[in-house]
């Protein structure tokens, strides 16, 4: 029997529901259970693909080509279970499907309403495809009381009644603020949040209380009394120094034991948390440290590069070093000397992005790394700008640019119009829709024998996740390679460039795909492990 755990949030957003879900999933896995994690997002967008990273954080891409919420990245990193298109749904997608059915006449002339049609669609999503899974964890985005979230709360309330007794568990994540002037931890926001949840018809089984200090026993008892839960079900969720200690911290507070008791599961084996202990040990007791500059366009919100920053941590774990990230907005290099900001770093990473803003700054960062022999890692747009830099300064094409920025006589980077997905031809138009029209998801690539990337991967065939509209123009391949930049990875048909490298440079690699989407703390991506290893070498040369 599949059991369902619903995770909701209250008081304020950004309390860490995604991390809590991921950590609980990891704890259940550590006890030998299979898990699946899903995210229900109340916003009206079909998916986050057209949303600004500064507004909603990064877009996490799955193997099957879905653009999803960044919390799915947490799910994968903590559990190792690959997310799919069926693990994230939005209000927009639900309404799109319902309106399509209504236009076809599927409702046989009936009035289409939020209840039952929208709530039924949500329930269908939650319950589908779970055969053989022990626990399905469903996180509901936003906070209780948000008007757009009401259909989701109503749907899970109905599931609580419709599924068998003992088949559901409701976890509510709240905030316990400490008021310095009063010298007190306040429980009232939690009480009101639970009151709001109960007014919808949902009684939480477990409360996870985010706090920056231990909850006094009297306050814990008060919360249990006013929120109608057992005292042991009031779980202290304190801040920790690394997110990879969250499974250990939650287990120490009894979260997984309390959840299992809700299902009547008491005589179960203890979790094996050895790998999490090893990961946190390597993070807390590094043998050295390196500084990596991330030269990006959305550095004002660190969640815009969440998978990227975590992958650098994973590379640090693999090399037993602490990775210090220096966040730099690429636009500053367009008016100031890049050396001023990059002189003290051990590696430079230029990530993906869209549009002309900040592009010249990324080109300047690539130039600094190439000419100063500093390890350089270009991802997606960062690879394209590195190629433009090489074309201008190595191959002599001073007008080299990308058609993404407008008409150019030297289109080193151009819009993709067609590519192969498995055995099907995919075509796109320049003036087509923006949402879901990029080259998305996992694609295979063939690496050049004897290349640096082939050595790093330990083979010549790889599969990586993509999210891009533009590509390096293969017409310029011979010119680029004659100037010293080698295209060392291509699509299986040899038509699309996937990787570039400079063999004479200590470590200069650009990739069209997003390797950060597949990195995990217990399985660091080989490119990030190698990049940090090169940064360690660089730090010893300085």
């Amino acid at each position: 029997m599949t059991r369902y755990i619903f995770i909701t949030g209250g008081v304020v957003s950004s309390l860490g529901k995604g991390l809590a879900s991921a950590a609980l999933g990891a704890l259940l896995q550590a006890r030998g259970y299979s898990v699946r994690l899903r995210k229900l997002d109340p916003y009206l967008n079909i998916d986050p693909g057209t949303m600004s990273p500064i507004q909603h954080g990064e877009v996490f891409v799955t193997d099957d080509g879905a653009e999803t919420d960044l919390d799915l990245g947490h799910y994968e990193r903590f559990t190792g279970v690959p997310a799919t298109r069926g693990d994230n749904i939005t209000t927009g997608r639900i309404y799109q499907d319902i309106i399509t059915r209504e236009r076809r006449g599927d409702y046989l002339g009936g009035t289409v309403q939020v209840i039952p049609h929208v709530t039924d669609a949500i329930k269908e999503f939650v319950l589908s495809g779970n055969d053989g899974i022990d626990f399905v964890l469903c996180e509901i985005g936003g906070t209780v009381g948000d008007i757009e979230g009401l259909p989701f709360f109503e749907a899970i309330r109905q599931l609580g009644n419709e599924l068998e007794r003992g088949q559901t568990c409701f976890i509510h994540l709240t905030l316990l603020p400490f008021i310095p002037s009063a010298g007190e931890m306040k429980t009232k926001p939690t009480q009101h949040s639970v009151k709001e949840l109960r007014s919808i018809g949902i009684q939480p089984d477990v409360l996870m209380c985010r706090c920056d200090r231990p909850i006094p026993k009297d306050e814990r008892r008060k919360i249990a009394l006013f929120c109608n839960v057992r005292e042991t079900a009031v779980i202290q969720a304190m801040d920790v120094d690394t997110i990879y200690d969250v499974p250990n911290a939650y287990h120490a507070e009894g979260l997984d034991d309390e959840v299992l008791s809700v299902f009547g599961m008491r005589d179960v084996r203890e979790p094996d948390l050895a790998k999490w202990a090893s990961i946190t040990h390597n993070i807390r007791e590094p043998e050295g440290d390196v500084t990596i500059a991330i030269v990006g366009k959305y550095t004002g919100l660190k969640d815009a590069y969440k998978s990227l920053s975590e992958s650098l941590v994973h590379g640090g774990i693999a090399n037993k070093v602490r990775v210090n990230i220096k966040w730099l907005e690429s636009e500053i290099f367009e008016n100031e000397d890049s050396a001023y900001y990059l002189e003290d770093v051990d590696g430079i990473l230029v990530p993906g992005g869209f549009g002309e803003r900040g592009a010249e700054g990324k080109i300047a960062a690539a130039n600094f790394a190439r000419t100063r022999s500093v390890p350089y890692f270009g991802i997606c747009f960062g690879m394209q700008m590195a190629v433009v830099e090489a074309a201008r300064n190595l191959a002599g094409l001073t007008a080299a640019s990308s058609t993404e920025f407008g008409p150019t006589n030297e289109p080193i980077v151009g819009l993709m119009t067609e590519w192969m997905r498995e055995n099907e031809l995919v075509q796109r138009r320049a003036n087509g829709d923006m949402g879901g029209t990029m080259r998305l998801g996992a694609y295979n690539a063939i690496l050049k024998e004897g290349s640096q990337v082939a050595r790093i991967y330990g083979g010549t065939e790889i599969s990586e996740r993509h999210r891009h509209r533009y590509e390096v123009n293969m017409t310029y391949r011979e010119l680029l390679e004659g100037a010293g930049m080698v295209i060392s990875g291509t699509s299986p048909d040899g038509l699309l460039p996937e990787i570039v490298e400079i063999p004479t440079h200590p470590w200069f690699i650009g990739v069209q795909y997003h390797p950060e989407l597949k990195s995990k703390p217990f399985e660091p991506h080989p490119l990030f492990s190698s990049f940090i290893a090169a940064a360690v070498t660089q730090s010893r040369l300085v």
Side-chain angles (χ1 to χ4, degrees):
M1 177 178 69
T2 300
R3 297 171 174 86
Y4 293 85
I5 302 171
F6 299 103
I7 299 97
T8 60
V11 185
V12 294
S13 60
S14 301
L15 285 180
K17 293 192 302 297
L19 273 176
S21 303
L24 178 56
L27 287 173
L28 293 171
Q29 269 190 333
R31 290 179 181 266
Y33 298 110
S34 59
V35 299
R36 182 177 190 180
L37 292 98
R38 290 176 149 171
K39 177 74 182 286
L40 314 178
D41 276 308
Y43 51 74
L44 280 171
N45 302 67
I46 302 299
D47 56 45
T50 58
M51 297 168 69
S52 167
I54 296 175
Q55 199 172 97
H56 198 70
E58 76 168 5
V59 174
F60 189 80
V61 179
T62 61
D63 278 338
D64 57 2
E67 294 175 289
T68 70
D69 185 82
L70 66 84
D71 279 330
L72 272 73
H74 289 313
Y75 303 164
E76 275 204 26
R77 284 189 286 274
F78 276 72
T79 68
V81 178
T84 70
R85 179 178 301 277
D87 291 327
N88 187 206
I89 199 167
T90 68
T91 298
R93 199 168 116 206
I94 289 169
Y95 272 82
Q96 183 186 53
D97 292 345
I98 288 174
I99 291 170
T100 299
R101 292 182 192 178
E102 186 272 336
R103 294 290 84 188
R104 281 200 310 254
D106 291 0
Y107 297 110
L108 301 176
T111 302
V112 181
Q113 298 176 288
V114 173
I115 302 174
H117 300 102
V118 173
T119 51
D120 281 354
I122 295 169
K123 289 188 292 183
E124 181 183 345
F125 171 79
V126 169
L127 298 176
S128 63
N130 299 324
D131 293 344
I133 304 296
D134 296 320
F135 290 95
V136 175
L137 291 79
C138 290
E139 174 195 348
I140 290 80
T143 57
V144 62
D146 294 344
I147 190 168
E148 63 265 26
L150 288 174
F152 291 93
F153 286 102
E154 172 61 19
I156 65 173
R157 181 199 69 79
Q158 291 178 18
L159 284 173
N161 289 331
E162 294 169 5
L163 294 173
E164 294 182 21
R165 188 177 298 276
Q167 199 177 353
T168 59
C169 171
F170 293 92
I171 298 176
H172 193 53
L173 186 69
T174 70
L175 176 67
L176 287 182
F178 181 82
I179 310 299
S181 59
E184 291 180 337
M185 181 177 281
K186 293 297 183 181
T187 66
K188 193 62 70 177
T190 292
Q191 293 177 44
H192 280 293
S193 184
V194 173
K195 181 180 178 182
E196 182 75 27
L197 192 64
R198 292 174 68 187
S199 72
I200 298 171
I202 298 172
Q203 167 62 50
D205 299 296
V206 178
L207 288 179
M208 297 183 67
C209 301
R210 285 300 311 275
C211 51
D212 63 355
R213 64 201 67 211
I215 305 173
K217 187 170 180 60
D218 287 346
E219 300 304 308
R220 192 186 294 257
R221 186 181 301 116
K222 182 179 179 181
I223 293 169
L225 179 65
F226 281 93
C227 296
N228 193 33
V229 298
R230 296 186 303 178
E231 194 171 331
T232 56
V234 179
I235 304 297
Q236 176 177 281
M238 282 183 60
D239 299 342
V240 291
D241 59 346
T242 168
I243 62 172
Y244 299 115
D245 192 39
V246 173
N248 293 315
Y250 284 172
H251 175 65
E253 291 299 320
L255 173 62
D256 45 331
D257 288 318
E258 196 64 33
V259 168
L260 291 171
S261 73
V262 172
F263 294 111
M265 303 167 67
R266 291 180 174 83
D267 296 323
V268 295
R269 79 181 201 188
E270 284 296 301
D272 179 5
L273 299 177
K275 73 178 181 181
W276 295 106
S278 175
I279 289 167
T280 54
H281 171 79
N282 286 342
I283 291 174
R284 288 172 174 159
E285 298 186 31
E287 297 176 0
D289 65 287
V290 295
T291 299
I292 303 297
I294 295 182
V295 182
K297 297 173 63 169
Y298 318 115
T299 57
L301 179 69
K302 302 302 184 290
D303 274 356
Y305 300 111
K306 190 61 181 175
S307 291
L308 198 65
S309 59
E310 292 307 316
S311 296
L312 289 171
V313 173
H314 305 163
I317 292 171
N319 289 279
K320 298 183 179 180
V321 295
R322 178 185 293 110
V323 177
N324 303 309
I325 297 177
K326 185 175 184 178
W327 298 94
L328 296 171
E329 191 70 23
S330 60
E331 284 182 286
I332 63 174
F333 296 154
E334 296 176 6
N335 299 310
E336 301 183 46
D337 183 8
S338 58
Y340 177 79
Y341 297 95
L342 298 174
E343 199 75 60
D344 60 342
V345 304
D346 305 308
I348 298 169
L349 193 154
V350 177
F354 297 92
E356 188 174 7
R357 182 182 68 83
E360 290 297 328
K362 292 190 173 189
I363 291 170
N367 177 265
F368 180 92
R370 182 181 60 78
T371 57
R372 300 292 190 93
S373 295
V374 177
Y376 178 87
F377 196 178
I379 295 177
C380 196
F381 192 76
M383 166 197 169
Q384 296 170 5
M385 294 305 97
V387 174
V388 170
E389 190 280 327
R392 289 178 181 178
N393 299 309
L394 289 179
L397 300 179
T398 56
S401 187
S402 169
T403 59
E404 185 175 1
F405 311 148
T408 173
N409 292 327
E410 299 290 357
I412 294 293
V413 178
L415 179 71
M416 301 182 70
T417 56
E418 61 182 44
W419 61 90
M420 295 299 295
R421 176 134 187 120
E422 295 178 347
N423 294 321
E424 293 185 11
L425 180 66
V426 181
Q427 294 180 313
R428 293 288 185 265
R429 292 177 291 111
N431 59 350
D433 289 346
M434 293 184 66
T437 58
M438 289 183 275
R439 187 176 185 232
L440 293 166
Y443 286 87
N444 295 331
I446 304 299
L447 311 184
K448 184 178 180 180
E449 291 276 3
S451 63
Q452 186 176 10
V453 286
R455 291 193 296 272
I456 292 170
Y457 275 100
T460 57
E461 295 185 21
I462 62 171
S463 175
E464 295 283 1
R465 297 177 187 175
H466 295 66
R467 184 177 185 250
H468 62 106
R469 281 192 185 86
Y470 292 81
E471 63 173 338
V472 172
N473 190 339
M474 288 290 267
T475 304
Y476 292 91
R477 180 174 189 170
E478 186 176 340
L479 183 65
L480 287 169
E481 295 192 336
M485 176 173 275
V486 175
I487 295 178
S488 55
T490 66
S491 56
D493 57 15
L495 299 178
L496 302 178
E498 293 280 11
I499 307 171
V500 298
E501 60 183 66
I502 298 179
T504 57
H505 191 283
W507 207 100
F508 194 106
I509 293 174
V511 298
Q512 184 58 75
Y513 48 84
H514 290 268
E516 71 272 20
L517 300 178
K518 296 182 73 171
S519 187
K520 304 170 185 66
F522 43 84
E523 190 182 339
H525 193 285
L527 283 175
F528 282 93
S529 297
S530 179
F531 177 57
I532 297 302
V536 171
T537 300
Q538 179 72 15
S539 70
R540 292 169 181 163
L541 294 174
V542 176

